[in-house]
Amino acid sequence: MKNFSSVRLALLASSVAFLLTACAVPQGENQNTSLSDPSNSSVRDPLIDAPNRALMTCTSEQTVTILNRIGEISFACPDLGVSATLNDLRDAGWRLLKLDIGEDTESENHVGFPVTIQVRKLF
């Protein structure tokens, strides 16, 4: 019976310690309130805030070469005034509809192609 009491006492003490620790964690302090405040436009992302089903055309800021792969290249999207990689667009809910490869150009002994993409906002 003594053993059972000591186990109950240890469980009670650990429960109280857990509750006190949870209560001691500051709630609401050091939180970035600008992220939770929709009226603060400085943290708004036009890629995320664009309406669903929006259609946009973007052009590569550099040519795609063996040195600059398409996944590493930023695309200028004048409709929203942003520059983003394909991964950035995908993460913001955009999906690739069309990819047009332009006329090849040569620079620094490498052939490159300008790329134009058309994307649609799905979510």
Side-chain angles (χ1 to χ4, degrees):
M1 195 57 121
K2 277 186 169 181
N3 203 8
F4 182 70
S5 294
S6 62
V7 169
R8 282 181 60 186
L9 185 59
L11 284 173
L12 179 64
S14 63
S15 297
V16 169
F18 175 74
L19 286 174
L20 289 175
T21 303
C23 293
V25 174
Q27 299 292 325
E29 288 183 25
N30 296 328
Q31 290 181 351
N32 188 353
T33 57
S34 62
L35 291 176
S36 60
D37 182 10
S39 66
N40 188 349
S41 62
S42 65
V43 295
R44 305 301 290 187
D45 185 349
L47 289 174
I48 293 174
D49 294 338
N52 289 344
R53 314 252 336 130
L55 193 62
M56 176 171 66
T57 300
C58 307
T59 56
S60 60
E61 294 180 339
Q62 304 166 349
T63 57
V64 177
T65 67
I66 195 165
L67 300 175
N68 299 332
R69 294 177 288 208
I70 195 161
E72 301 166 346
I73 293 194
S74 292
F75 288 86
C77 306
D79 294 344
L80 296 179
V82 297
S83 177
T85 64
L86 289 176
N87 286 338
D88 296 335
L89 291 166
R90 184 200 64 221
D91 292 347
W94 295 85
R95 294 301 179 260
L96 185 65
L97 294 178
K98 189 161 108 178
L99 183 133
D100 291 324
I101 299 174
E103 289 290 321
D104 60 299
T105 59
E106 187 173 333
S107 71
E108 300 176 15
N109 296 328
H110 293 287
V111 175
F113 303 92
V115 176
T116 302
I117 60 172
Q118 189 176 44
V119 292
R120 181 177 299 277
K121 174 81 168 170
L122 293 185
F123 59 90

